[in-house]
Amino acid sequence: MTASASDRTLDELTLGSEFSLPDLVDRGALGEMARSFHELFGVPLRIFTEEGALLADASGEIALYAYLEGSSKGRHEVQKLINSLKAVDPGDAGEVSLTCFTGATYRVVAITYDSRRIGRMILGPFLSPTLRELPSSLTDVDASLNHQELKKLLEQMPRAREETVAQIARHLKSALDLILFSGHKALLTSSMHLASVKESFRDLKAKNDELQEAYNRLKELDRLKSNFLATVSHELRTPLTSIIGYSEMLKEGIAGEISPEQKEFVQTIHDKGEQLLELIKGLLDLSKLESGTMSLRKSDVQVPQLIEDVAQTLQPAARKKGVKLEHSFDAVPSLWADPDRLRQVLLNLAENALKFTPPDGTVSLSCDSVMMEVEHDEAEGLVLLSNQRPAVAMRVADSGIGIPDGEKERVFDAFYQVDSSSTREAGGTGLGLSIVKRLVDAHDGRVAVEDNDPTGAAFVVTIPCRRATLV
Ligand SMILES: Nc1ncnc2c1ncn2[C@@H]1O[C@H](COP(=O)(O)OP(=O)(O)OP(=O)(O)O)[C@@H](O)[C@H]1O
Ligand SMILES: [Mg+2]
């Protein structure tokens, strides 16, 4: 079996190509051409592939053959004729005439392209205009055939001179040549297009594989980094607790009286130790959140209470800085959440708000109930009609320096700070928001930052209510 044109490579199609007639021409167009020639000249016409498959047929039923088929000898002769038409070699000239037992003639013309035979056309049967008598080769087929009938049917055959048919064949060949040429051109163009698409697909696939490999490597590195962070932070915590403990004891004079200046130094050691401990706790939290080993201790949480608590905790620092810290809230449903972690989220956001708001500014904490879109939770085996769920939105807004649009996404990255210059006034390490984001994610919630009106930033944390509260 030969492969179809689209299966072959471009090289095969262009160099020493092995295309067949159906590769090059559209069957419909070929049939159309054959029919119009038949209508124009009245000579039956059939087109075959080199292997003998019929591609176009504009001949209709020939009544004489139908009559002959009625006798077994007649049928045998017709079959013999068909076989010899299939087998006849058109020779070097590419065309040959064959006169059969009925006295009718066929013209067999080879279809060649690029010096290769790819099919044949058979024009006929047609009778010479001069033939009047029944040929004996026809009457001898079977003595039982009715001569009167034979003569009548033979008369129905188209009549044409052999030279005329040869000329028609030449016209046909040149029309077909044109069709073959444009067919070949179209085939090459589409094959080239296909080849180039295949080529770009191969390129893309190779690039994709490389990317996947790079991604896997990065993921592995990320995992190693998290492990490393977790181990180092954990190991740092123990000696640091001793440093803090001993500096506290020194400060309190347990190891003997110390001068005010020494006390001041020890106080600095203590304060910096505490600061370092906070940082280490943050790193530990982050690595636990990244590795998914942080466990949440969930219970019913009343968000207004939480807000009040956070406001109270930060009130002294706000007063010291001269920033107004206010809070307000609507009645909201309770949340099924880890209260310590939610407090940590609000505290981190409120501390940032205070840090980035100059004196005389305002920081406000509030909450209200909203609806939020959640993804279907298949684990619970429920198909909700709507994926909207009641939720509580907590808002921490300030009138501070605000966050430029291009930075709003990045502030949630670990260690990212908008202004990381050495002249930056605000302290911190850039871990707070990345921990906030991960804690909120762990509660299936969302955190976003927007501009506050007229200045400053507003962080909104939305946590969905427990599904059980729906029913
Ligand atoms: N309310 C805010 N107003 C303006 N900028 C903010 C605000 N909150 C956060 N940012 C910007 O986002 C950065 C990241 O915040 P994040 O809380 O992660 O780190 P940090 O506060 O600098 O350090 P850490 O929280 O680890 O002590 C901040 O450094 C700041 O540039
Ligand atoms: Mg912070």
Side-chain angles (χ1 to χ4, degrees):
M1 216 174 80
T2 54
S4 84
S6 55
D7 291 339
R8 273 176 253 143
T9 66
L10 187 61
D11 283 351
E12 281 170 333
L13 283 164
T14 45
L15 314 168
S17 38
E18 274 290 302
F19 43 78
S20 65
L21 190 53
D23 281 344
L24 296 180
V25 286
D26 172 62
R27 244 170 210 268
L30 205 61
E32 203 52 52
M33 186 193 79
R35 264 190 300 283
S36 53
F37 263 85
H38 179 47
E39 270 168 27
L40 200 62
F41 301 108
V43 179
L45 166 67
R46 268 184 281 193
I47 300 176
F48 295 86
T49 65
E50 191 56 10
E51 291 76 31
L54 182 64
L55 282 183
D57 186 356
S59 57
E61 200 191 48
I62 293 158
L64 176 65
Y65 293 162
Y67 178 64
L68 287 170
E69 297 266 345
S71 107
S72 67
K73 285 180 185 158
R75 196 176 321 126
H76 177 70
E77 280 305 318
V78 172
Q79 194 53 53
K80 242 170 64 186
L81 169 63
I82 293 172
N83 291 344
S84 57
L85 279 172
K86 276 187 182 169
V88 71
D89 181 5
D92 289 342
E95 355 188 337
V96 69
S97 285
L98 191 105
T99 300
C100 70
F101 69 99
T102 59
T105 306
Y106 289 86
R107 186 131 187 116
V108 180
V109 183
I111 302 172
T112 50
Y113 190 72
D114 224 8
S115 325
R116 209 165 51 80
R117 278 201 188 153
I118 56 173
R120 60 174 56 198
M121 339 185 238
I122 299 180
L123 290 98
F126 58 93
L127 287 181
S128 154
T130 53
L131 184 92
R132 291 289 156 216
E133 289 307 311
L134 272 181
S136 57
S137 50
L138 176 57
T139 47
D140 289 353
V141 168
D142 190 341
S144 67
L145 291 173
N146 181 327
H147 288 202
Q148 221 37 40
E149 185 67 13
L150 283 178
K151 195 160 178 163
K152 189 184 99 198
L153 295 175
L154 196 64
E155 279 301 323
Q156 290 174 9
M157 273 209 195
R159 287 185 183 265
R161 287 189 315 130
E162 206 166 325
E163 305 83 77
T164 316
V165 175
Q167 210 160 9
I168 295 173
R170 269 194 294 281
H171 284 314
L172 247 174
K173 258 186 94 167
S174 33
L176 202 57
D177 270 350
L178 217 65
I179 294 180
L180 288 178
F181 178 72
S182 52
H184 191 195
K185 220 170 89 179
L187 181 70
L188 282 184
T189 317
S190 71
S191 303
M192 262 149 112
H193 179 67
L194 203 70
S196 82
V197 169
K198 274 186 186 164
E199 191 60 35
S200 354
F201 179 73
R202 259 196 298 276
D203 276 1
L204 260 181
K205 194 168 171 325
K207 292 227 165 67
N208 217 8
D209 290 348
E210 274 172 33
L211 267 179
Q212 182 66 42
E213 211 172 288
Y215 172 73
N216 290 345
R217 260 203 316 270
L218 278 178
K219 232 169 106 177
E220 177 59 14
L221 274 179
D222 199 49
R223 199 185 58 80
L224 287 176
K225 180 214 71 186
S226 293
N227 275 355
F228 174 75
L229 267 184
T231 318
V232 170
S233 325
H234 195 263
E235 294 309 307
L236 280 175
R237 214 160 48 158
T238 324
L240 194 57
T241 332
S242 298
I243 292 173
I244 293 171
Y246 280 103
S247 58
E248 217 156 28
M249 286 197 289
L250 274 178
K251 207 173 61 181
E252 281 162 17
I254 292 176
E257 270 311 302
I258 53 171
S259 69
E261 197 183 3
Q262 284 169 332
K263 205 169 183 171
E264 199 183 307
F265 286 5
V266 172
Q267 181 65 45
T268 310
I269 295 175
H270 181 263
D271 290 351
K272 295 293 168 192
E274 287 282 6
Q275 210 178 326
L276 202 52
L277 191 61
E278 280 309 304
L279 169 62
I280 288 170
K281 276 192 202 155
L283 283 174
L284 260 178
D285 277 354
L286 195 67
S287 59
K288 274 192 209 155
L289 283 164
E290 274 184 350
S291 60
T293 51
M294 158 122 17
S295 53
L296 298 177
R297 275 191 292 273
K298 290 190 178 181
S299 62
D300 270 324
V301 178
Q302 308 302 331
V303 178
Q305 250 174 39
L306 209 62
I307 288 183
E308 204 147 353
D309 177 36
V310 170
Q312 241 170 40
T313 311
L314 288 181
Q315 207 54 263
R319 211 168 293 137
K320 197 168 152 196
K321 198 175 174 185
V323 170
K324 197 166 137 207
L325 179 62
E326 52 185 32
H327 62 279
S328 63
F329 31 75
D330 289 342
V332 291
S334 63
L335 288 180
W336 184 247
D338 184 327
D340 292 337
R341 295 308 184 181
L342 268 197
R343 187 174 185 278
Q344 191 182 352
V345 165
L346 286 176
L347 211 55
N348 267 337
L349 294 178
E351 273 173 350
N352 278 351
L354 265 184
K355 186 156 62 171
F356 297 104
T357 302
D360 292 331
T362 309
V363 169
S364 62
L365 310 178
S366 60
C367 68
D368 59 278
S369 61
V370 293
M371 293 300 281
M372 88 181 277
E373 208 160 279
V374 290
E375 280 170 21
H376 285 252
D377 187 354
E378 280 163 23
E380 293 198 20
L382 284 172
V383 179
L384 291 174
L385 289 177
S386 148
N387 51 355
Q388 295 280 328
R389 258 175 56 190
V392 177
M394 292 158 260
R395 189 178 152 94
V396 179
D398 63 59
S399 62
I401 59 172
I403 300 176
D405 275 346
E407 307 279 357
K408 286 195 170 77
E409 283 289 318
R410 301 199 62 189
V411 289
F412 294 102
D413 290 348
F415 301 109
Y416 188 80
Q417 297 182 306
V418 172
D419 166 23
S420 54
S421 68
S422 54
T423 53
R424 180 184 154 101
E425 282 176 17
T429 41
L431 278 183
L433 284 181
S434 67
I435 292 173
V436 164
K437 168 104 176 70
R438 280 157 211 265
L439 283 175
V440 171
D441 283 349
H443 281 89
D444 297 324
R446 233 165 275 153
V447 54
V449 57
E450 51 197 51
D451 290 330
N452 196 19
D453 194 24
T455 55
F459 283 82
V460 182
V461 170
T462 317
I463 308 274
C465 292
R466 197 148 57 135
R467 193 159 277 165
T469 60
L470 281 178
V471 280

